Amino acid sequence: ISAQLFGSDPPVLADAAREEFVYSPDKDSTSVRISPGVEFDSRAIISGRAYVGYRRFTITSGLAPAFSGPVASIELSSTVREATRLGVQAARDVAYSFDINTPYYVLGGLGGTVGHRVGQHWDFSASASRQNLHYHPGPPVVPFAPTLVKRTDHVYTYGGTLTYLLSNSMRLGVTVDQSQRQSALTQRGYEGTRFVVHFGYGP
């Protein structure tokens, strides 16, 4: 059950939710969040949105300690001299984990983008981000198993996008991302490259 409230000035997002998993009942949870924020018009010097608030998240099975603390969702951008775009993204929130010993983690991320229009048809952008995954394990699932300790994984992502503007409403592009995850657990670490070809239509 979830409810969201909007419409105040400045805007405030609030929700109360209960999530239940048919095949993983140990992850059933309740959550309450309230996040005041600001939203900027797309034509303003700074555009985007920024919400910062408080959330309480509880695993009802007791498999992991409850989370109570600040959360944030920020996406802001600005255009410089009509051809260059600068952006910043920041986030902090709870996310579910597939590991039964750590049913959730606290995700904190910070990233930036820069884009530039070259001539009438070409557009290039580059981005970089870092995410911290803070795991809060509960008691061992198997009796007499060793006690798990807190850990933090780090995910670094770098990439770029090259777009060709076919017309005012159509564009074709390619994105290349390089990601690396560093973890104290060897099996959780990885490194890989992603290629994406995309087509867009609209204003």
Side-chain angles (χ1 to χ4, degrees):
I1 299 173
S2 177
Q4 293 187 326
L5 306 175
F6 305 91
S8 58
D9 188 18
V12 177
L13 305 183
D15 66 77
R18 177 180 177 86
E19 297 182 279
E20 298 182 352
F21 297 82
V22 175
Y23 299 106
S24 300
D26 288 334
K27 291 185 177 181
D28 290 355
S29 67
T30 60
S31 173
V32 176
R33 179 203 336 244
I34 181 168
S35 297
V38 293
E39 295 192 6
F40 301 96
D41 189 273
S42 59
R43 294 167 294 182
I45 296 177
I46 297 178
S47 62
R49 51 188 281 169
Y51 285 89
V52 179
Y54 170 87
R55 183 178 184 184
R56 179 168 178 81
F57 178 86
T58 303
I59 297 292
T60 56
S61 67
L63 189 61
F67 165 82
S68 297
V71 293
S73 176
I74 300 172
E75 294 183 12
L76 300 174
S77 63
S78 180
T79 300
V80 181
R81 296 183 179 179
E82 299 184 354
T84 301
R85 302 180 309 281
L86 304 176
V88 62
Q89 305 85 39
R92 187 174 194 265
D93 208 345
V94 173
Y96 286 105
S97 167
F98 66 86
D99 189 341
I100 191 173
N101 294 305
T102 51
Y104 78 90
Y105 56 86
V106 179
L107 173 66
L110 181 63
T113 59
V114 57
H116 186 73
R117 174 72 63 84
V118 180
Q120 296 295 320
H121 297 282
W122 292 98
D123 191 289
F124 174 78
S125 64
S127 63
S129 67
R130 168 176 170 162
Q131 293 181 327
N132 298 321
L133 285 61
H134 303 285
Y135 289 86
H136 297 263
V141 176
V142 180
F144 308 110
T147 301
L148 301 174
V149 297
K150 294 182 179 180
R151 81 173 197 274
T152 299
D153 292 358
H154 305 285
V155 180
Y156 302 89
T157 303
Y158 311 91
T161 299
L162 181 63
T163 303
Y164 181 76
L165 306 177
L166 301 170
S167 67
N168 291 333
S169 58
M170 291 190 297
R171 47 200 173 273
L172 180 66
V174 60
T175 297
V176 181
D177 287 329
Q178 176 73 25
S179 296
Q180 181 184 46
R181 177 167 176 165
Q182 299 176 353
S183 175
L185 302 178
T186 305
Q187 65 271 28
R188 296 288 187 265
Y190 65 78
E191 183 174 358
T193 303
R194 182 184 67 163
F195 296 87
V196 179
V197 177
H198 44 88
F199 174 79
Y201 179 82

